[in-house]
Amino acid sequence: MLEANQLMVFYENMLALNNVSIRCEKNQIVGVFGANSAGKSTLMYTLSGIMEDIRKKEEMAGGERISVLGDIRYLGEDITGLKPSKRAKKGIVLCPERRRIFKECSVLDNLRIGGYLATSSQAKDTLAYIFKVFPALEKLQKRIGGFLSGGEQQMLAIGRALMAQPKLLLLDEPLLGLSPLIQAVLVRATKEIRDEKGISIIVTEQYARPVLPIVDYAFILENGTAVLEGTRDELMDNPDVRSAYFGI
Ligand code: ATP
């Protein structure tokens, strides 16, 4: 479904992604695991195309020089130079790190804003689906986003991304800073979304352990380099990997 080949991203002379190739097949959940600064968000920005906006903004402001190399194919099409808005229309939707919900807006308005690409019947159906997956949000529809807990904000961020009708959902560190209990709710919901809606998912996390049970395939990033990849079972069966990356 998505195939990125030999991605290289430089922030000035700092190499943030070094020759990274990853793929996600239809209906798969693919994990990308790596420590702080490994390049996870850079990868997500590059796949969603937001890196192009960041690059242009920096260029116009006379800021840092960002260079992006490599190519990205999605559903058989080369989307390397495509704007993020065009990628979103084609179904690549990013749920960014640290939620980035609209804190002054209500839960319902956050979701409606996310639905700007949807027809009214899609928006209605998706809203009902979000409330099925995250019943907590239904009761909080009128609550201002900034007053939600971290876990609720993450549910809202995922809900908002679903409103954009993704075929490929990019989840950047959805579990960051949340309690194990909420993490488990989010992990279960992520699997449910793939199983029930057939949405493919690429999910990044610092710690593989909570997400590993639901991924089909995973990549491990270290200092911008993909040092290891394999199916969940291949990674789990490798004793070095187990202790070094999964803490088990
Ligand atoms: P985290 O878990 O902290 O979010 P990450 O794996 O998402 O980490 P990135 O945010 O992609 O990592 O950062 C990769 C590297 O690129 C880091 O060393 C970071 O400091 C650097 N970096 C990220 N954005 C910029 C930028 N705009 N300018 C310069 N360096 C940057």
Side-chain angles (χ1 to χ4, degrees), residues 7-144:
L7 295 179
M8 315 249 313
V9 176
F10 294 84
Y11 298 109
E12 291 287 349
N13 297 324
M14 192 267 185
L15 183 55
L17 284 186
N18 184 6
N19 222 354
V20 171
S21 298
I22 80 158
R23 46 192 293 149
C24 176
E25 304 293 349
K26 200 165 177 338
N27 256 305
Q28 266 189 340
I29 300 180
V30 168
V32 178
F33 304 120
N36 253 332
S37 299
K40 303 180 296 296
S41 296
T42 301
L43 176 65
M44 292 306 227
Y45 288 149
T46 307
L47 298 179
S48 61
I50 286 167
M51 190 53 83
E52 264 312 289
D53 279 359
I54 299 174
R55 192 181 66 73
K56 281 187 195 140
K57 208 166 129 194
E58 288 290 334
E59 196 177 289
M60 278 162 66
E64 63 185 352
R65 193 165 31 92
I66 299 177
S67 320
V68 182
L69 304 170
D71 64 87
I72 307 171
R73 293 188 71 78
Y74 169 71
L75 296 175
E77 186 191 348
D78 185 350
I79 58 157
T80 311
L82 214 59
K83 285 201 243 176
S85 54
K86 293 242 167 75
R87 294 189 205 194
K89 273 196 191 127
K90 288 180 184 290
I92 302 179
V93 177
L94 174 69
C95 180
E97 187 189 23
R98 295 178 204 285
R99 349 269 190 231
R100 307 268 168 85
I101 58 158
F102 301 107
K103 293 213 163 136
E104 313 74 29
C105 300
S106 69
V107 165
L108 197 56
D109 283 346
N110 265 279
L111 293 171
R112 287 200 180 116
I113 294 165
Y116 74 102
L117 290 171
T119 64
S120 58
S121 83
Q122 281 174 328
K124 192 163 156 264
D125 292 351
T126 311
L127 207 56
Y129 182 69
I130 292 164
F131 293 152
K132 176 182 123 28
V133 178
F134 299 121
L137 283 186
E138 183 162 23
K139 299 186 198 92
L140 296 167
Q141 285 182 64
K142 295 204 177 106
R143 181 79 54 93
I144 297 299

